[in-house]
Amino acid sequence: DGMLSLVEGTIDTWPNLLGFSGGKTYLILFQNNMELRPGGGFIGSYGILPVKNGSMEPLQINDVYDADGKLNEHVEPPYGLRRYFGAAHWFLRDSNFDPDFTQNAAQAQFFLQKETGQKVYGVVAIDTSFLKNLIAVVGYVDVPDYRERVTPDNFYLLTQVHAEKN
């Protein structure tokens, strides 16, 4: 019943969100919720997802440090980042430093545009728990480039091992 209510309450926005009234580009934040932040988890990478006429175009995934390295001006970090993380500057990787996702999304859009020049229509955050649950639904995912079979049981370990190896 909750899903039906959600569909009924949002269906009029779908054509716009899915790019039927002109293509849309979304920022996907990949958050590691094992490394907590007020907005979910550390943003280690991000994706740019173009959507046009109801179809998703290829997702471009980028390392957040590549974008952060392009920021050529100082952005003063929030007090908590300065105090507890010793941050002298604020970047996309820590843009989700607010418990309110709408604030984090606006901040992420700001940093993405300042760092890369890319403008996006909307922001979606995905954390490791979501990905683990998604894998549980499909059973496993084979990753041929790494010769690995990812399951819900080995997801966190494989993610950590490969993240440390770049």
Side-chain angles (χ1 to χ4, degrees):
D1 185 44
M3 182 57 97
L4 185 56
S5 295
L6 175 65
V7 170
E8 287 176 344
T10 61
I11 198 161
D12 59 329
T13 65
W14 292 12
N16 189 35
L17 291 173
L18 295 174
F20 287 107
S21 59
K24 303 290 185 214
T25 302
Y26 294 94
L27 170 61
I28 313 295
L29 301 173
F30 295 102
Q31 300 184 145
N32 179 357
N33 54 311
M34 299 294 113
E35 196 173 332
L36 281 178
R37 296 291 189 276
F42 177 73
I43 300 168
S45 55
Y46 68 96
I48 301 296
L49 180 64
V51 177
K52 189 172 185 179
N53 294 325
S55 294
M56 288 186 234
E57 296 180 9
L59 174 65
Q60 307 154 19
I61 298 178
N62 304 286
D63 186 318
V64 75
Y65 287 99
D66 292 339
D68 287 349
K70 296 175 185 171
L71 185 63
N72 56 14
E73 63 185 77
H74 172 74
V75 179
E76 186 66 25
Y79 173 77
L81 273 175
R82 285 192 322 272
R83 173 75 167 89
Y84 300 108
F85 288 93
H89 306 282
W90 198 8
F91 299 97
L92 176 60
R93 65 181 175 255
D94 288 316
S95 62
N96 62 345
F97 211 76
D98 193 297
D100 181 347
F101 182 74
T102 60
Q103 296 298 313
N104 294 333
Q107 206 61 53
Q109 286 177 300
F110 165 81
F111 279 111
L112 185 71
Q113 185 174 356
K114 285 280 187 192
E115 295 176 358
T116 69
Q118 173 81 53
K119 290 184 180 183
V120 293
Y121 179 74
V123 179
V124 175
I126 295 175
D127 67 18
T128 52
S129 295
F130 172 81
L131 292 173
K132 181 180 176 185
N133 291 337
L134 186 62
I135 293 168
V137 169
V138 297
Y140 62 87
V141 174
D142 284 324
V143 185
D145 290 351
Y146 289 90
R147 295 188 176 121
E148 300 272 13
R149 174 166 282 181
V150 182
T151 68
D153 296 329
N154 70 7
F155 172 75
Y156 290 128
L157 179 62
L158 288 175
T159 301
Q160 189 64 35
V161 165
H162 289 290
E164 289 175 5
K165 290 181 183 177
N166 194 17

